[in-house]
Amino acid sequence: VRLYLEARAPRGRWICEREILREHRGAHFPDAVFALDGERHAIEVELSRKARHRLRAVISSHSDLYDAVVYFCGRRTLRLLSGVKAEGCWPKLIVRPLPEEEPC
């Protein structure tokens, strides 16, 4: 996901989880933050299914702190997160499939 975002927005800055831990005080912190043009987007890479109530709590928390909440999802979680997005409660939520791997 980092390589995907950096290729599409070279001026952006990837802030890793360790760096976020130093500044974040909330109960949940994102996997990363991608900063671009004065905006900070919470990045979550979701590979395993979580309960809807847990996802809603994380999305709500991130929505309070970031300009966007971007979930990159594996096959198992894309449908679930798309359903949460369809509820229309979180305008900052963006749901994307995991980027395809480039062949070597």
Side-chain angles (χ1 to χ4, degrees), residues 85-102:
K85 169 75 174 164
E87 294 171 6
C89 297
W90 297 278
K92 294 182 179 182
L93 177 60
I94 300 167
V95 178
R96 298 281 184 258
L98 282 173
E100 294 293 320
E101 289 185 36
E102 296 291 326

Side-chain angles (χ1 to χ4, degrees), residues 8-28:
R8 278 145 189 81
R11 293 180 303 120
R13 180 172 171 254
W14 179 269
I15 303 167
C16 70
E17 192 172 39
R18 282 180 290 191
E19 191 173 336
I20 297 165
L21 264 173
R22 288 185 286 228
E23 67 182 51
H24 200 278
R25 303 283 185 244
H28 184 81

